[in-house]
Amino acid sequence: MGMTTPPRTLAEALRARDDESLAGLLRARPDLLSPVPNDITQLATRAGTRASVVRALEHLDRFALQTAEALAVAPDPAPYDTLLGLLTGDGRDDGELRGDAGAAIVDALPGALDTLREQALVWGEDERLHLVRTARELLAPSPQHPSPTGLGPTVSEATAGMSPGRLQEILAAAGLPATYDPVSAVTSLSALFTDRARMGELLDTAPVEALSVLDRLVWGPPYGEVTPNPTPPVKWLRDRGLLLPVSTRTVVLPREAALHLRAGRAHRVPEPLPPVVATAAERDPQAVDSAAAGQAFLSVTTVEELLKSWNGGGPAILRAGGLSVRELKKTATVLDVSEPVAAFWIELAYAAGLLASDGETDERYAPTPAYDDWTELPAEDRWVRLATAWLAATRTPGLVGGQDAKGRALSTLGPGLDRSAAPEVRHRVLALLDALPPGTAPEPETLLARLRWERPLRGASTSAGDTTDLRSRIALWTLNESELLGITGRGALASQTRALLTAGPAEAAAGLAPLLPEPLDHVLLQADLTAVAPGPLERPLADMLAALADIESKGGATVYRFTPGSVRRALDAGQSAADLHAFLAAHSRTPVPQPLSYLIDDVARRHGHLRIGAASSYVRCDDESVLNEILADKRSATLRLRRLAPTALAAQIDPVSLLDGLRELGYAPAAESADGDVLITRAGARRTPPRSAPAPVPEGPPLPEPALLGAAVRAIRAGDTAATVVHKDTGPAAPGGTLPRTTSAETLVTVQAAAMTGSAIWIGYVNAEGAASQRVIAPVRVEGGYVTAYDHTADEVRTYPLHRITGVAELADDQTA
């Protein structure tokens, strides 16, 4: 490490690191960069704060965490051999981990220590390993925070405050000589519990029942309750200090005694190696790709069908935000799926930016303008966009139907569904599937075991009322959603998904395209007023058919049903009977059935016979008998109609409700404008203003860019130097003593070029108070009208608004910061 003497503090250990090692620490713990520390001492202080240490511990795998837990119960500092003994045992035949298990620990321990050192949780040479004090406090045992190892406090900690007389009684009962002070008494008792031979002799004299009590406490929790008059076995243990009092009713097994009973091991089952993901089934890779491609195409059509059903304006937004349970059920019925699956499709469309709130007073959900652009893409590109949005989304539809921390229901598209761990878990699940041979489906339980080993402290959520293993739940949802979306096929990862994860969206789309069915330009009309689409239809045909008929069933072939209502819908959209006859004749491989022709003509003959306008609203018809029929119909009472003239009726409800009411009675009215012209309603007319996709909620500070890391390390080093060297506040003089002057365009180009080459430049700068100065900076990043740079003049990383830079100039060869 380049030091002649061992480091005495974490700051000294960090100061001895090279720049690459410091950059590795900042990369592993990016929270230390907000803001950039002034020097090494501040970096070490920040690395020891509770919040930062908790975040670092949460990113450790199980064996690295077990290593840190072993150091927490070891003396400080601890030699490497002591740490190894806490993980493998003290060599007794009944306690030492032998064979492959012991060898695996010996092989894995150096790597675990390297991880802890890299993240500044452990410092010092192997002869003197120090666990950061905050980590020791978090992991060490105490009555308030039991240790994960199941060990209790030391004899010294457990006897703090005990009377000297009581200590002497314990020594006498344990067969130890009396001492002259409490400190030596505690030392003598601790030495007895750590001496293998003498401790064995003492336990040989213990009653069998006393040994049974120890067996129940040895692996934790080490605390037990006692009565004022304990049983003889408990009294025997308490008299000899094998159980020490914590309160009047609680005793604890001291750590030294527990370690002897455990044969020196801190953990019952050390886990140096990650669990292997077992194979549930092996399938033909081509069959997997085909199944995934079919599901991918279905996912695209399902999202499209969802948004088509909300084309004219979707459901209203609840006052608390989100979709009501009734609307979710209605959507599930339209899509012919269960409610949890419907929630997934809705959230997926929202994450992809295809669905949003319209922002109106009567706020509703509707497709965004981006949806229209999305529908024009090839099917493979549409799927890639959905899959990419799903991978990055922090919203977790699996939580829908649950409750938040305040007991409020979590609704689809509502608040409280973001879980910052979701993207990381999804990527990790897919990475584990990618590591399996092609066509291999994993055993879910072994997959969950692997994830729990990789992040043992990240399982239980502390937000939104979650009390179970959140990462495992997200992983199970990921497996289900992957199958729905076509990420996997028959449980195995598809080749197009492997391309998406490794090569990018373009390669994934290219791999998926040959597996998707070709769109058809025809349907098969049948005499029972149905049309069969034997495969996916071209977009113009599909759109027109969706307006003219209702989908009756879906699957390998889609069945459309023609009804008076569906034909009227096409007529409302501006089509004529002749247009519909021509359309069907052009796109049917079978002759147009006579019943269908009659249906179109009959609906067209009656369409628009009644006219609905705004009075509040009125009904107009040239045929008085039709109006008489409506008034005589008892079902029209809710419409509150009254006759104004022989050919006109007035209503006390709005035109839209009047239109719907008469259509339910079996009529085919048409809306008309104030000028008396028929209003044509076209599908897809309702769109939200331009909306961006919801931004994922970050799990923590973003990973710093390499250039920023380098600048931060230089600033930290400079701060250390500035603490011992006289600092010069003035920068290099300008030629002629004036600030440089360049145009805004020249300034931007020069700064961007310096950021790309990593070179330093000289700038003139005017701060918010109007004070002018000269500075030498090394630009790192230029974006949003600001330049982030390492300021050689101030020896720190700073951000400068570009509009306050008066000009830039290149440094001469003899100029230095």
Side-chain angles (χ1 to χ4, degrees):
M1 297 176 61
M3 296 187 64
T4 56
T5 58
R8 294 170 298 175
T9 63
L10 175 60
E12 289 187 3
L14 294 178
R15 193 169 287 115
R17 291 189 179 191
D18 57 23
D19 289 353
E20 183 179 353
S21 180
L22 274 182
L25 168 61
L26 297 177
R27 188 182 302 108
R29 297 175 65 178
D31 58 293
L32 302 180
L33 272 174
S34 301
V36 176
N38 292 331
D39 52 31
I40 294 289
T41 301
Q42 190 177 88
L43 174 64
T45 301
R46 193 176 298 171
T49 58
R50 184 181 181 89
S52 183
V53 170
V54 167
R55 182 181 296 274
L57 291 174
E58 286 180 343
H59 285 80
L60 296 178
D61 62 47
R62 189 177 299 279
F63 187 64
L65 183 62
Q66 287 182 331
T67 302
E69 291 167 351
L71 282 172
V73 299
D76 185 34
Y80 182 89
D81 291 340
T82 299
L83 174 61
L84 182 61
L86 285 169
L87 293 169
T88 60
D90 59 13
R92 276 179 277 166
D93 291 340
D94 60 344
E96 183 180 15
L97 292 173
R98 298 184 179 277
D100 294 340
I105 293 175
V106 172
D107 292 341
L109 184 55
L113 274 178
D114 287 345
T115 298
L116 295 173
R117 281 195 179 107
E118 178 188 6
Q119 300 199 23
L121 295 171
V122 169
W123 56 277
E125 302 290 348
D126 283 353
E127 294 77 16
R128 295 176 60 83
L129 294 171
H130 298 267
L131 182 67
V132 171
R133 179 182 301 175
T134 308
R136 180 177 291 274
E137 293 172 355
L138 289 167
L139 299 176
S142 69
Q144 294 77 22
H145 304 285
S147 169
T149 62
L151 291 169
T154 62
V155 171
S156 176
E157 295 167 343
T159 56
M162 185 177 289
S163 66
R166 177 63 186 139
L167 283 172
Q168 296 303 319
E169 291 175 359
I170 291 176
L171 294 183
L176 298 174
T179 63
Y180 296 99
D181 59 87
V183 174
S184 57
V186 170
T187 303
S188 178
L189 188 61
S190 299
L192 168 63
F193 292 163
T194 54
D195 187 309
R196 183 188 306 176
R198 289 194 296 158
M199 187 66 170
E201 293 173 358
L202 176 63
L203 293 176
D204 287 342
T205 64
V208 176
E209 294 83 356
L211 295 178
S212 298
V213 173
L214 294 178
D215 287 340
R216 291 196 295 270
L217 300 178
V218 64
W219 290 108
Y223 298 92
E225 291 189 2
V226 294
T227 60
N229 297 313
T231 60
V234 173
K235 187 175 184 303
W236 189 94
L237 295 170
R238 193 177 63 178
D239 290 345
R240 289 154 182 78
L242 291 169
L243 292 180
L244 294 173
V246 176
S247 65
T248 56
R249 298 183 59 87
T250 307
V251 293
V252 64
L253 176 66
R255 186 185 309 171
E256 294 87 346
L259 284 173
H260 173 84
L261 295 170
R262 296 180 178 194
R265 298 207 309 275
H267 299 87
R268 176 178 286 185
V269 183
E271 298 182 57
L273 300 177
V276 177
V277 179
T279 299
E282 295 183 2
R283 312 187 191 280
D284 180 13
Q286 291 184 350
V288 168
D289 292 347
S290 298
Q295 195 61 37
F297 186 81
L298 181 60
S299 69
V300 170
T301 57
T302 301
V303 171
E304 191 172 350
E305 182 181 354
L306 164 68
L307 295 178
K308 277 184 178 179
S309 68
W310 291 4
N311 244 343
I317 300 177
L318 294 174
R319 182 178 301 176
L323 203 64
S324 68
V325 174
R326 182 179 62 183
E327 293 293 347
L328 179 61
K329 290 180 178 179
K330 186 185 299 183
T331 303
T333 302
V334 170
L335 299 180
D336 194 21
V337 296
S338 64
E339 292 172 32
V341 174
F344 167 70
W345 294 123
I346 295 171
E347 286 287 347
L348 179 62
Y350 178 65
L354 309 178
L355 172 67
S357 163
D358 60 10
E360 300 292 338
T361 304
D362 180 20
E363 199 170 14
R364 292 179 174 273
Y365 292 109
T368 64
Y371 165 68
D372 296 315
D373 299 332
W374 179 76
T375 56
E376 298 301 323
L377 296 174
E380 59 270 18
D381 291 328
R382 282 183 277 161
W383 176 81
V384 166
R385 180 165 173 180
L386 294 179
T388 304
W390 173 74
L391 283 171
T394 54
R395 292 185 63 82
T396 312
L399 295 171
V400 171
Q403 294 183 337
D404 62 9
K406 297 182 179 180
R408 295 172 299 196
L410 296 172
S411 60
T412 309
L413 298 178
L417 294 184
D418 281 292
R419 297 295 181 271
S420 57
E424 187 264 335
V425 174
R426 290 191 192 109
H427 279 89
R428 190 61 198 138
V429 168
L430 298 185
L432 292 174
L433 294 180
D434 190 26
L436 297 175
T440 302
E443 179 63 44
E445 285 303 320
T446 60
L447 185 69
L448 298 182
R450 175 64 171 267
L451 292 174
R452 284 191 287 265
W453 185 92
E454 292 178 348
R455 294 288 186 271
L457 290 184
R458 296 299 303 277
S461 171
T462 58
S463 64
D466 293 326
T467 57
T468 56
D469 187 347
L470 178 62
R471 282 176 61 88
S472 295
R473 294 167 64 197
I474 294 176
L476 289 174
W477 292 331
T478 297
L479 292 175
N480 294 333
E481 292 167 2
S482 296
E483 200 72 15
L484 285 173
L485 192 51
I487 296 289
T488 57
R490 303 178 67 185
L493 197 67
S495 60
Q496 53 266 27
T497 306
R498 297 178 191 269
L500 179 64
L501 298 175
T502 57
E507 288 74 8
L512 177 62
L515 302 174
L516 296 177
E518 288 291 333
L520 302 176
D521 63 353
H522 65 274
V523 294
L524 305 176
L525 295 178
Q526 302 186 109
D528 61 350
L529 297 180
T530 60
V532 178
L537 300 177
E538 293 180 348
R539 176 153 307 281
L541 172 58
D543 291 343
M544 184 60 189
L545 198 59
L548 181 57
D550 298 323
I551 295 178
E552 187 170 81
S553 65
K554 295 179 292 187
T558 304
V559 178
Y560 293 85
R561 169 72 63 180
F562 297 96
T563 65
S566 69
V567 174
R568 187 200 67 241
R569 185 170 63 234
L571 296 174
D572 286 342
Q575 300 293 326
S576 65
D579 294 334
L580 299 182
H581 287 304
F583 167 77
L584 293 175
H587 293 91
S588 176
R589 288 291 177 87
T590 58
V592 179
Q594 194 176 54
L596 179 56
S597 298
Y598 286 168
L599 173 65
I600 294 173
D601 292 337
D602 182 56
V603 174
R605 185 170 49 255
R606 294 184 293 114
H607 183 262
H609 196 49
L610 295 177
R611 299 292 186 88
I612 304 299
S616 294
S617 60
Y618 63 84
V619 183
R620 182 169 65 85
C621 183
D622 295 333
D623 188 347
E624 296 182 30
S625 62
V626 174
L627 298 183
N628 293 334
E629 181 183 344
I630 293 174
L631 289 173
D633 194 331
K634 294 182 179 180
R635 296 174 298 169
S636 68
T638 57
L639 303 179
R640 291 178 290 176
L641 298 169
R642 63 187 179 87
R643 188 182 292 275
L644 293 179
T647 60
L649 301 177
Q652 299 180 32
I653 59 177
D654 61 274
V656 174
S657 300
L658 184 55
L659 273 168
D660 293 338
L662 289 178
R663 284 169 179 170
E664 289 178 2
L665 296 180
Y667 298 93
E672 72 176 14
S673 67
D675 298 327
D677 298 324
V678 175
L679 292 177
I680 296 175
T681 57
R682 299 187 182 275
R686 182 112 179 223
R687 290 291 181 270
T688 70
R691 297 277 194 261
S692 57
V697 176
E699 188 175 9
L703 292 178
E705 300 173 0
L708 182 59
L709 281 177
V713 170
R714 291 197 300 272
I716 293 171
R717 295 286 191 201
D720 254 25
T721 303
T724 55
V725 178
V726 177
H727 179 61
K728 228 164 89 174
D729 289 331
T730 58
T738 60
L739 293 179
R741 296 286 179 178
T742 55
T743 65
S744 299
E746 291 172 336
T747 298
L748 179 59
V749 170
T750 306
V751 171
Q752 288 176 334
M756 294 177 63
T757 60
S759 57
I761 56 176
W762 174 64
I763 68 170
Y765 180 72
V766 179
N767 64 16
E769 288 75 29
S773 61
Q774 306 164 14
R775 300 181 178 277
V776 174
I777 65 172
V780 175
R781 183 173 59 229
V782 183
E783 62 182 10
Y786 291 85
V787 53
T788 301
Y790 172 65
D791 190 328
H792 290 274
T793 309
D795 286 334
E796 63 183 0
V797 176
R798 289 185 176 180
T799 300
Y800 297 101
L802 284 171
H803 69 273
R804 294 191 178 277
I805 297 177
T806 63
V808 296
E810 296 181 357
L811 289 177
D813 293 338
D814 59 346
Q815 285 182 312
T816 57

